[in-house]
Amino acid sequence: MEIRYFDNSATTRIKEEVINEMFPYLSVQYGNPSSIYSIGRAAKRAIEEARGKVASLINCKPEEIYFTSCGSESDNTALKGIAYLNKQKGKHIITSKIEHPAILHSCQNLEKHGFEVTYLDVDKNGLINLEKLKNSIRKDTILISIMFANNEIGTIQPVEEIASIAHKNNTIFHTDAVQAVGNIEIDVQKMNIDMLSLSGHKIYAPKGVGALYVRKGIEFERFMDGGHQEKNKRAGTENVAEIVAIRESSRNSRKKFKTISK
Ligand SMILES: *Cc1c(COP(=O)(O)O)cnc(C)c1O
């Protein structure tokens, strides 16, 4: 029986050409990116090229991209990384009731550790109310995390307005853009986004790779202790083949947007 698949927000099929680009890094190009000899340097180069491609997809600097193991890890890192580093400044976080479990459960976890979270309601279209957002901001609010596009009903939040409200109140703005990246053209500079999560398997790369964008100058606590990978922010030998895959799907998404905007 032929399978017709209609659930690209659950996951996407990996593009054939993406698999082909991955192959060498699963076989002959097996170097550890931290090794200083040539096979290691080749792996490192592939990762840095990928960082550039992911960066250009959302219009940030390559050094603002941190590779992770999935969208959930990016969300966890953003929330806990900001919360734990800023706990002297404040312990209040604002999010919405319709976030992905990676955000909602991270918030619940933080509540167990003394943080306070406001979960904003949404209207019948799934949109948060900006006035309510403004009213829920407190002196000790350290982070606002609102998803870009919802994974079940597809609502797109007014992220630019949310970012500007956050910044007027000296608060960091993170967005879970796992469902938006590759579907909506995102410019983190124009939109004034401080942190953004994305995931490989929602954009035609495999499951098990993601990225977190963090605007230069914003400090966060690392989520994974160990080696010095990812500028000391995310330990663990890099998943080179999958990072190469996300490089290819970022390149493809970028191409798609360029054709549309012409
Ligand atoms: C899929 C998804 C995630 C989680 O990404 P994984 O790579 O599966 O961990 C997070 N947020 C949203 C909105 C998603 O759709």
Side-chain angles (χ1 to χ4, degrees):
M1 197 184 77
E2 194 189 344
I3 289 177
R4 290 179 190 264
Y5 183 74
F6 293 106
D7 198 9
N8 274 353
S9 47
T11 196
T12 55
R13 182 173 175 165
I14 313 171
K15 288 243 161 48
E16 199 71 36
E17 69 244 37
V18 172
I19 296 176
N20 291 337
E21 289 291 331
M22 288 174 71
F23 263 135
Y25 295 93
L26 295 167
S27 51
V28 288
Q29 290 287 12
Y30 53 82
N32 183 325
S34 297
S35 303
I36 52 169
Y37 39 84
S38 68
I39 194 168
R41 290 202 308 270
K44 179 95 183 151
R45 262 198 309 280
I47 291 176
E48 293 318 315
E49 205 190 322
R51 208 182 301 285
K53 292 293 172 221
V54 175
S56 88
L57 181 60
I58 59 168
N59 196 27
C60 69
K61 300 186 194 85
E63 63 266 30
E64 294 173 320
I65 293 291
Y66 299 84
F67 288 114
T68 64
S69 69
C70 56
S72 300
E73 188 192 321
S74 300
D75 285 343
N76 272 263
T77 306
L79 267 67
K80 296 172 187 170
I82 289 298
Y84 286 124
L85 198 87
N86 291 286
K87 61 176 186 281
Q88 305 301 345
K89 204 179 135 207
K91 288 197 162 186
H92 182 234
I93 294 163
I94 301 171
T95 187
S96 81
K97 288 187 179 167
I98 60 162
E99 299 291 316
H100 187 274
I103 296 287
L104 290 176
H105 295 165
S106 291
C107 285
Q108 286 165 14
N109 182 301
L110 287 166
E111 284 176 311
K112 279 194 240 158
H113 291 89
F115 290 88
E116 283 176 63
V117 183
T118 299
Y119 300 89
L120 294 173
D121 250 323
V122 295
D123 65 14
K124 64 179 193 307
N125 297 314
L127 287 169
I128 65 155
N129 180 308
L130 295 177
E131 282 312 307
K132 286 198 181 130
L133 168 65
K134 281 181 205 160
N135 293 337
S136 64
I137 296 177
R138 314 190 319 206
K139 270 208 181 69
D140 61 340
T141 306
I142 47 173
L143 177 70
I144 296 174
S145 178
I146 303 287
M147 73 196 324
F148 203 120
N150 184 266
N151 42 306
E152 286 177 18
I153 54 173
T155 300
I156 297 162
Q157 303 291 344
V159 286
E160 276 188 74
E161 281 99 319
I162 300 170
S164 112
I165 293 169
H167 296 148
K168 272 190 200 124
N169 291 281
N170 262 323
T171 297
I172 294 167
F173 173 54
H174 164 259
T175 186
D176 174 342
V178 171
Q179 292 293 340
V181 170
N183 293 315
I184 299 168
E185 204 165 355
I186 296 178
D187 182 330
V188 291
Q189 297 191 48
K190 197 174 131 254
M191 297 174 168
N192 244 315
I193 297 168
D194 299 316
M195 302 174 90
L196 175 148
S197 303
L198 63 99
S199 170
H201 76 101
K202 307 285 173 76
I203 56 168
Y204 310 96
K207 295 152 193 70
V209 64
L212 177 66
Y213 148 77
V214 183
R215 187 201 294 280
K216 206 173 169 183
I218 294 181
E219 295 297 327
F220 64 101
E221 206 147 278
R222 65 168 169 257
F223 186 57
M224 182 88 97
D225 289 315
H228 297 300
Q229 292 89 353
E230 298 299 293
K231 288 192 281 163
N232 220 1
K233 288 299 193 196
R234 201 282 176 184
T237 302
E238 299 87 336
N239 189 346
V240 185
E242 293 216 11
I243 291 173
V244 164
I246 210 169
R247 175 190 82 194
E248 286 311 298
S249 34
S250 297
R251 197 203 301 273
N252 289 338
S253 297
R254 182 98 186 91
K255 254 195 263 165
K256 180 177 87 181
F257 291 135
K258 275 206 173 133
T259 340
I260 296 169
S261 59
K262 253 182 212 155

